[in-house]
Amino acid sequence: MKFKTFLELVEIQAKTASILPYFMGIIYAWYHYQELHLLNLLLFFIAMFLFNMAVDAIDNYMDYKKASKEHNYREEVNIIGRENIPIQLVGTLIVIMVVISAGLGLYLVKQTGWPLLYMGLYCYFIGIFYSSGPKPISSMPLGEVFSGFTMGFMIYLISIYVNAYNVMTFDSQTFFIILFASIPNMFAIANLMLANNICDLEEDVTNKRFTLPYYLGKANALKLFKWLYILAFVSLIISVYVGIYPKMMLVTLLAIPFVNKNVTKFLHVQDKRKTFVCAVQNLALMTTLQVVTFLIGIWVDF
């Protein structure tokens, strides 16, 4: 298998959804706790990245295995069939990535404490059963909820914990403060999945995958797509107002015209090749601006 093919198999282009919450967690840990543990950071990044790649490979693997023969998805769309990748090789790669990731995770549990084990088990459960098992999460109207929560919040929370485990009070108040702070990322990531499911609605129904847009109807799904961005920016303003984030992060609001332009474009046409990229661009812009303005806010103490 060519390296380029492997990168497509693990959907490397979608890793913004996990990498930027990871960096937000690092900055949050420094801002609120003045703590960074560089070895923990490195090991968590490797474990997270490997497992994220494994999850996307599992998704392609299961899509290939379960694809209906009524159309040419398996042979012409899915990367495994299109590039003639041996299915056994894909399975082996998935196992290797999951095992290495889990091993690093267990080492971090030993270094930081039991809360990481429970957070990690949740993430592994969702990641593995997102597209596998008798009733995959991705085939139900829950994909947006679990993808947004797991990638937008849990990666953020774990990144904070592995840095500040020795000084932070890990209680319900801390949990909900960080949960609220992560809403912009959660909603932008959920919209990535929502846009994907809207674009794939007809194909998903053919493959007996009944996602959220199927139950809401396309018109309501598009309204939800718009409102999730609105609520993301509102929550960011509130987080700055109550002191969770520095005031400099309000500069992220400059992204609103660009995000609105992409939303308008997607509301007009829902096409995987033409307009799905709008959700990708919105996620990248919103999360990148948060990271940059968060860093600047710490630097200039504003």
Side-chain angles (χ1 to χ4, degrees), residues 19-62:
I19 290 176
L20 289 172
Y22 164 83
F23 282 113
M24 281 291 291
I26 296 172
I27 305 166
Y28 187 101
W30 179 252
Y31 182 63
H32 286 281
Y33 303 108
Q34 290 76 52
E35 286 285 331
L36 290 180
H37 290 83
L38 297 181
L39 180 59
N40 289 354
L41 274 177
L42 176 62
L43 294 179
F44 174 54
F45 180 83
I46 296 171
M48 174 202 70
F49 202 77
L50 281 174
F51 186 65
N52 198 331
M53 290 196 296
V55 169
D56 286 327
I58 291 171
D59 188 40
N60 281 316
Y61 179 91
M62 297 308 300

Side-chain angles (χ1 to χ4, degrees), residues 132-147:
S132 61
K135 198 70 174 176
I137 295 170
S138 63
S139 298
M140 298 187 287
L142 300 171
E144 288 80 2
V145 174
F146 282 107
S147 62

Side-chain angles (χ1 to χ4, degrees), residues 164-197:
Y165 68 94
N166 57 321
V167 295
M168 70 186 292
T169 303
F170 197 75
D171 56 14
S172 58
Q173 182 179 1
T174 301
F175 179 90
F176 284 111
I177 288 173
I178 297 172
L179 177 64
F180 189 84
S182 69
I183 285 177
N185 290 328
M186 282 198 297
F187 285 6
I189 292 170
N191 259 349
L192 193 67
M193 181 57 59
L194 182 59
N196 180 72
N197 287 337

Side-chain angles (χ1 to χ4, degrees), residues 13 29 43 50-51 54 71 78 81 88 101 106 124 130 138 146 185 205 219 227 241 256 262 274-275 279 288 299:
Q13 75 282 358
L43 294 179
L50 281 174
F51 186 65
H71 51 73
N78 187 279
Q88 296 85 354
S101 174
L106 289 173
Y124 276 77
Y130 188 80
S138 63
F146 282 107
N185 290 328
V205 172
W227 272 100
Y241 179 76
I256 290 176
N262 273 341
K274 295 179 181 178
T275 57
T288 300
W299 182 38

Side-chain angles (χ1 to χ4, degrees), residues 201-234:
L201 181 57
E202 293 180 6
E203 185 179 282
D204 283 343
V205 172
T206 301
N207 286 318
K208 299 181 179 179
R209 293 175 55 171
F210 302 104
T211 58
L212 187 60
Y214 172 82
Y215 290 97
L216 290 180
K218 183 175 281 191
N220 286 329
L222 290 170
K223 289 179 182 177
L224 177 61
F225 180 78
K226 177 178 69 175
W227 272 100
L228 283 177
Y229 285 124
I230 294 172
L231 293 174
F233 285 113
V234 170

Side-chain angles (χ1 to χ4, degrees), residues 235-248:
S235 71
L236 178 63
I237 294 170
I238 295 173
S239 291
V240 171
Y241 179 76
V242 299
I244 299 174
Y245 289 137
K247 296 180 181 65
M248 183 59 67

